[in-house]
Amino acid sequence: MVIVKPQRIPSSQAHVAAPSSGAGWAAVLLAATLWGTTGIVFHALGHSGGANAASIGFARLALSVPFLLAMARARTGVWLAALTLRGLATLSALGLAMAAYQLTYVLALERVGVAIAVLISICGAPIFVALISVACLGERLRARTMVALATAIAGTVLMVGLPSAVGGHGHRFQIGIALAVACALCQALYVLAAQASSKVCGPMHAGGIAFGIGALALLPIAWSEGLHVSPSPGNWAMLLYVAAVPTAIAQTLFLVGLQGTGAVGGAIASLLEPLVATLLAVVLLHERMHWTGAIGAALLLSGIGILQWSPGKRGASARMADDLGRPGHQHGAGSLRSSGHGVVQQPPPTSTEIGTM
């Protein structure tokens, strides 16, 4: 049970020290790399384990909670963090954004197919983060940030590939497009809530509490569709891997890393996930990467590199100010994606029905 107290938590107990810009980028990029491994696992669970999207999404969040809280206990000595009502609301937004992202991604996938759902949801998230940061949070985006954003998104589009045919423009298709846009917005809200959660508690406590809330939100849907996972040791090992590594550990890295990259930088860096998923599909599933995909991968990496590059000898605070347009201001980040982000190169529906963030 979460303890709610009216007083404010001391800063030393609320969050860990913000990492340097370089350490923040390393943490976010590592998190995106771990997210990229979920596509292969979901592919295996869907084909050999008989698991549906609702089962995987619920089990992933629910099983990650004990891992996150155990990590928090080992680091801080307590299982749960004391929260103000405002802090609980922030973590609730974090967990509900994750649950909503996974749900809207599945629904969009069923209506518009893999390519369109992935392109809109993954590429739209950093755009929404940038727009909300400017319109609602008063941040100013420098030209370098906008160039990096455009380059990374163009690379992702080339790497994922545009759909060769669209399955109709009827009412169902239009609803699917709207759901994919909603999915991108949910990912953006997740990133922004993650950034805000650094002022609430540490990243592991934030992830454990938020994901518990997200799992409860998904439980009625998963229950109505049936919780299907073949009870073999191999399938449970894969579920535990997804819960522990690309969920608990990766989300903790993402939350910590956001303090060094800022929301926009973190959203752009998370686009590394589809690149990792694509490379794993090429190596393990023997899929082919077209030459446009290779160009797209190069553009994506270039976009990430543009944000990290700084001419001359400039400090980390100056680089952050250049990226996010808030000189002298150190951005806090939440403990925990979005997002996951979505599984990209997964032709079978079962392997792409759940976002990884």
Side-chain angles (χ1 to χ4, degrees), residues 104-137:
T104 52
Y105 183 77
V106 172
L107 294 175
L109 186 74
E110 293 173 347
R111 289 161 174 80
V112 297
V114 175
I116 296 177
V118 166
L119 284 174
I120 294 177
S121 62
I122 288 198
C123 296
I127 296 176
F128 276 121
V129 171
L131 291 175
I132 295 172
S133 296
V134 172
C136 301
L137 303 181

Side-chain angles (χ1 to χ4, degrees), residues 229-320:
V229 178
S230 177
S232 69
N235 292 331
W236 279 105
M238 287 188 286
L239 273 178
L240 290 175
Y241 166 79
V242 170
V245 181
T247 304
I249 294 176
Q251 302 294 355
T252 299
L253 288 169
F254 186 69
L255 287 170
V256 173
L258 275 178
Q259 299 180 60
T261 65
V264 178
I268 294 174
S270 66
L271 292 174
L272 183 67
E273 177 201 342
L275 173 58
V276 174
T278 299
L279 293 177
L280 287 176
V282 170
V283 173
L284 299 179
L285 301 180
H286 307 292
E287 295 184 3
R288 297 183 59 187
M289 176 183 282
H290 197 263
W291 63 270
T292 55
I295 294 176
L299 283 175
L300 171 58
L301 294 175
S302 298
I304 295 174
I306 288 171
L307 272 183
Q308 298 181 70
W309 172 80
S310 59
K313 296 181 179 180
R314 306 176 60 199
S317 61
R319 290 195 297 271
M320 287 177 62

